[in-house]
Amino acid sequence: MEIIKNFVDNIHNDDYKSNYEFPVIQGESMVFPGGRKSRSLNGEWNFSADQYDNCLRAKWFLEQDTNDEGRSVPLDYAFDDWDKIEVPGVWNLAKPEYFYYEGPAVYSRRFSLEEENKGRVFLQFGAVSYEARIFLNGTFLGIHKGGSTPFSIEITAHLKAENRLIAVADNTRRKNQIPSENTDWFLYGGIYRGVSLLFVPDVHIKNMRVNLTDRETGAIEVSALIDGNKDLTDKTVTFSIPELGLEEKFPVNADGTCNKIVNTDGLSLWSPENPKRYQVSLTLKEKGEVKDEVTDVIGFRTIETRGRKILLNGKQIFLRGVCLHEETEDHGKAVTKEEIREAFQRAKKMNCNFLRLAHYPHTEWASEIADEEGILLWEEIPVYWWIDFSNPQTLNDARNQLSELILRDFNRASVIIWSVGNENPDTDARYHFMKNLAKTAKKKDPSRLISAACLVDSVNLRIADRLESHLDIIGFNEYYGWYDPDYGKLTEILNGSQPEKPVIISEFGADGYQTENKSGKYVRGSEEEQEEIYKRQVELFGKTEYIQGTAPWILYDYRTPKRLGAYQKGYNIKGLVTADRKREKPAFTVMKNFYEEVRKNEGNNKETV
Ligand code: GCB
């Protein structure tokens, strides 16, 4: 049927989105931010929910107040008159009516550019949930998918003295996304991590990766990528750690890569007991003249497994952990540095040396603060429960989230494990999908351990998962005492399994709500029952030699629209501490005591390999 063009033709166009699916912004475009000249675009932006995607359908981003026939357009895109919202922030907490809003929403702000704009300019987003479509001065620049990882876009060619920036953020749950439609946490919406402009020279250091490769000799591998359209062969880079008196110059290859093993002397190794970090810098020079420089603060350590043991700096370590979601009552996912520190302090109070950051990449501040505080981290991508495993596009998105996370946190000593998924169904499609992710992680970062939180083989009652051969550590989630009251099964699993690799109990736990019950009997879901379950669990763990770490579910109670019933009231109440972070439940003390014991024993028989 012929479509007659008229002034409202956008309402007849159901294919409006196809114009905004490409280009896809992926990890390769990320630019190393450390030590760069930058300008924050945080603060108040204009905001409107846009449930029917009118900004895309009617092209609000063009800001045309007359149409092709010259008629004035009565459309509501006077961005500057809209409500204000704080960036970073989640819209769900900005107004009561946005609390459960799920869908597209439009963010807009202006910024002017002063003399600082020499060279190239990149726009950086810390995270936008889940799809972000970015427009600058009326031009669509690209779409980023994945709600928890950073992305950059070069905007040099589109800049003017006065600029209009628009981001359409869309947190709609979709089957083919990572995560898919069904999660047990709150999928907040919005630009909930920082936004900034990065100013870099024409030829610049795109990324820098530094890690310790040999503990004995103190050898460090430095690799970097130089970006620029020119011949790069006349350029060199100089890597320095001033505190160690180290300065090493090496050439840039024609393709922009540069790589060097540098030897250090007197390096003090990073560990939870000694979170020592060094200022490092990499300078790009041409004919002796400095062209660009990046800096970072880096700790050096090794992490490996041997048989069923985990070795940090060559010494056996038990991971005394707890799981943590990225959420507070006040800020949702847009947690502050103070809130992160508070969570880490609470974990330390429980005698933890390890956190499982569930179930998606947390803010970059988490690993930076963990580096400072001396906490080991498990970082994860949201390949959670059911995923569209046979969809190649979904695999591509998962791989991109993993790559962006690895690129962002490669230099963080605290991060020791990349996890490629959680409790996924044991199908062939899942096996191939996750095998691919495990291999991707190993290839991008051979210096760390790969894991996944797996389910038990409930038929044979064994710790057994087809993915095991692609993992360095087997994560095992179990809820005996809670979802299945039969502890006998857990005993059988732990005694009957013969894993060839270290096992971490990556989840266990139970609901814990406060009751008035004085009957002396446990009420289902009460804090007393939770305490009892914890006692029985840790007793078994203590007797199982191959368990090399535990991470109970979870440090704080947290919001989840999956649990809107009468008791849970929109919360997962398996926390060891209440959601307002004020009260520790009795099970907190059970873990604290268990970890105290583990620590004492570890002190007695620490093995150096
Ligand atoms: C799990 C999931 C976690 C849930 C938890 C629960 O196994 O991995 O995300 O929230 O169980 O509370 O049931």
Side-chain angles (χ1 to χ4, degrees):
M1 192 180 73
E2 194 191 340
I3 295 178
I4 299 164
K5 191 169 160 42
N6 68 31
F7 71 98
V8 289
D9 60 0
N10 74 73
I11 63 175
H12 301 142
N13 179 7
D14 208 38
D15 187 34
Y16 70 96
K17 252 190 172 164
S18 58
N19 290 333
Y20 313 106
E21 299 295 357
F22 300 96
V24 178
I25 305 161
Q26 296 216 319
E28 303 86 67
S29 58
M30 278 168 68
V31 179
F32 193 90
R36 296 254 182 233
K37 187 172 162 195
S38 71
R39 191 161 116 211
S40 168
L41 294 182
N42 293 343
E44 284 192 333
W45 290 45
N46 293 102
F47 175 81
S48 175
D50 185 21
Q51 192 165 25
Y52 289 2
D53 248 346
N54 245 358
C55 178
L56 303 185
R57 289 177 190 272
K59 300 192 170 64
W60 287 354
F61 52 86
L62 293 177
E63 292 191 84
Q64 280 176 332
D65 47 18
T66 51
N67 69 7
D68 295 347
E69 286 94 47
R71 236 190 317 251
S72 78
V73 180
L75 287 178
D76 186 10
Y77 57 69
F79 301 117
D80 298 332
D81 299 335
W82 284 4
D83 276 357
K84 302 271 192 203
I85 200 167
E86 200 58 29
V87 169
V90 294
W91 66 56
N92 316 73
L93 299 176
K95 266 190 182 182
E97 59 266 42
Y98 293 151
F99 190 72
Y100 284 121
Y101 178 69
E102 183 182 297
V106 184
Y107 285 76
S108 170
R109 66 162 288 159
R110 295 173 182 274
F111 65 89
S112 49
L113 215 67
E114 289 122 35
E115 261 311 277
E116 59 193 339
N117 178 24
K118 291 248 167 61
R120 295 164 68 176
V121 185
F122 288 79
L123 180 61
Q124 299 251 118
F125 285 82
V128 179
S129 170
Y130 175 92
E131 288 181 347
R133 291 179 169 82
I134 310 299
F135 300 83
L136 184 66
N137 299 326
T139 304
F140 174 57
L141 299 181
I143 175 175
H144 180 261
K145 295 178 187 186
S148 317
T149 43
F151 58 96
S152 318
I153 325 158
E154 177 157 17
I155 55 172
T156 320
H158 306 279
L159 282 167
K160 299 178 178 167
E162 296 300 326
N163 299 278
R164 158 79 64 200
L165 175 61
I166 293 169
V168 179
D170 184 350
N171 70 336
T172 306
R173 286 168 302 124
R174 294 185 187 89
K175 240 181 144 80
N176 62 348
Q177 291 182 168
I178 310 281
S180 191
E181 291 171 322
N182 185 24
T183 65
D184 190 12
W185 73 88
F186 200 112
L187 290 165
Y188 291 94
I191 305 176
Y192 68 94
R193 291 187 194 142
V195 186
S196 57
L197 296 175
L198 277 191
F199 301 93
V200 305
D202 284 344
V203 180
H204 61 270
I205 303 167
K206 195 171 159 83
N207 63 51
M208 169 184 70
R209 296 157 48 117
V210 186
N211 75 300
L212 178 66
T213 51
D214 188 331
R215 208 173 47 248
E216 302 302 323
T217 62
I220 288 175
E221 182 172 16
V222 183
S223 29
L225 183 66
I226 311 303
D227 186 49
N229 303 325
K230 300 176 189 154
D231 177 17
L232 300 168
T233 44
D234 56 343
K235 307 215 169 18
T236 59
V237 287
T238 304
F239 176 73
S240 340
I241 307 182
E243 196 180 329
L244 297 174
L246 178 101
E247 197 169 295
E248 283 264 349
K249 180 170 147 183
F250 48 102
V252 177
N253 303 319
D255 63 355
T257 56
C258 32
N259 194 283
K260 174 97 177 155
I261 304 280
V262 297
N263 289 316
T264 62
D265 201 12
L267 195 66
S268 170
L269 296 183
W270 184 98
S271 70
E273 298 77 33
N274 177 44
K276 168 70 191 159
R277 301 177 307 150
Y278 294 89
Q279 287 283 347
V280 314
S281 70
L282 189 76
T283 313
L284 174 71
K285 289 185 185 159
E286 185 184 335
K287 297 192 188 94
E289 199 189 320
V290 175
K291 293 289 175 190
D292 192 21
E293 184 180 46
V294 292
T295 61
D296 205 346
V297 190
I298 299 181
F300 297 98
R301 53 100 193 100
T302 57
I303 188 78
E304 65 207 294
T305 60
R306 194 143 316 163
R308 291 164 157 189
K309 292 179 178 140
I310 303 171
L311 309 177
L312 176 73
N313 296 329
K315 296 194 191 91
Q316 190 183 348
I317 186 164
F318 185 97
L319 302 176
R320 293 174 266 120
V322 65
C323 298
L324 180 73
H325 260 299
E326 182 179 49
E327 179 186 86
T328 60
E329 292 258 273
D330 291 346
H331 301 111
K333 266 180 84 58
V335 294
T336 63
K337 285 188 179 175
E338 292 67 37
E339 288 165 339
I340 296 167
R341 254 180 229 287
E342 183 189 57
F344 288 6
Q345 294 298 342
R346 185 76 74 157
K348 278 186 167 180
K349 182 178 169 199
M350 208 170 81
N351 292 317
C352 289
N353 60 8
F354 172 65
L355 282 170
R356 174 181 175 206
L357 301 184
H359 278 303
Y360 39 74
H362 290 209
T363 157
E364 65 276 16
W365 293 339
S367 53
E368 286 164 14
I369 297 173
D371 270 15
E372 249 177 270
E373 297 271 347
I375 290 187
L376 298 159
L377 295 180
W378 156 312
E379 294 200 336
E380 177 166 336
I381 52 167
V383 176
Y384 183 85
W385 291 349
W386 186 90
I387 291 289
D388 197 358
F389 290 116
S390 41
N391 183 338
Q393 192 50 51
T394 304
L395 176 60
N396 190 45
D397 288 351
R399 235 183 353 228
N400 185 54
Q401 291 188 36
L402 183 64
S403 308
E404 288 174 339
L405 173 63
I406 294 176
L407 211 51
R408 189 193 75 183
D409 282 358
F410 187 90
N411 292 345
R412 302 283 71 82
S414 51
V415 181
I416 54 167
I417 296 170
W418 303 121
S419 168
V420 294
N422 180 80
E423 292 186 357
N424 312 98
D426 186 10
T427 60
D428 289 350
R430 171 262 188 183
Y431 172 70
H432 291 294
F433 188 101
M434 293 185 65
K435 180 177 84 176
N436 188 311
L437 292 178
K439 285 188 166 171
T440 303
K442 243 325 171 227
K443 189 160 168 229
K444 299 219 170 247
D445 183 3
S447 75
R448 287 185 173 84
L449 307 175
I450 312 299
S451 192
C454 302
L455 288 167
V456 69
D457 172 349
S458 54
V459 178
N460 301 305
L461 291 181
R462 291 289 180 271
I463 299 175
D465 190 301
R466 283 195 274 169
L467 204 60
E468 249 171 65
S469 57
H470 304 283
L471 305 177
D472 299 307
I473 292 184
I474 305 164
F476 168 41
N477 289 1
E478 53 87 7
Y479 281 87
Y480 290 97
W482 178 244
Y483 290 122
D484 184 339
D486 187 355
Y487 290 104
K489 286 189 194 152
L490 181 58
T491 311
E492 162 143 20
I493 293 166
L494 295 182
N495 292 341
S497 301
Q498 287 300 329
E500 287 169 6
K501 299 180 176 182
V503 172
I504 296 178
I505 306 291
S506 34
E507 281 180 36
F508 68 95
D511 280 8
Y513 74 89
Q514 210 173 16
T515 59
E516 299 289 307
N517 172 42
K518 304 255 182 309
S519 72
K521 287 200 189 124
Y522 300 132
V523 173
R524 182 94 174 119
S526 66
E527 291 182 356
E528 291 75 22
E529 191 192 20
Q530 185 191 40
E531 181 185 16
E532 180 61 18
I533 288 174
Y534 268 73
K535 282 186 181 156
R536 307 233 358 213
Q537 287 271 350
V538 298
E539 199 187 312
L540 288 170
F541 301 155
K543 294 181 191 148
T544 313
E545 159 273 328
Y546 58 77
I547 293 180
Q548 293 300 317
T550 49
W553 190 258
I554 185 168
L555 187 55
Y556 299 110
D557 291 346
Y558 62 94
R559 292 188 182 112
T560 170
K562 202 175 168 57
R563 300 173 185 267
L564 292 173
Y567 292 98
Q568 299 170 100
K569 297 188 171 64
Y571 283 82
N572 185 313
I573 53 171
K574 295 194 183 65
L576 293 165
V577 179
T578 49
D580 60 10
R581 298 186 162 198
K582 294 213 167 101
R583 198 173 55 79
E584 289 161 6
K585 303 179 191 176
F588 183 94
T589 312
V590 177
M591 279 323 287
K592 185 170 181 238
N593 294 342
F594 172 60
Y595 285 155
E596 180 63 45
E597 273 307 297
V598 172
R599 189 155 62 175
K600 268 198 231 144
N601 293 339
E602 204 171 42
N604 298 337
N605 50 26
K606 221 171 196 180
E607 187 182 328
T608 307
V609 180

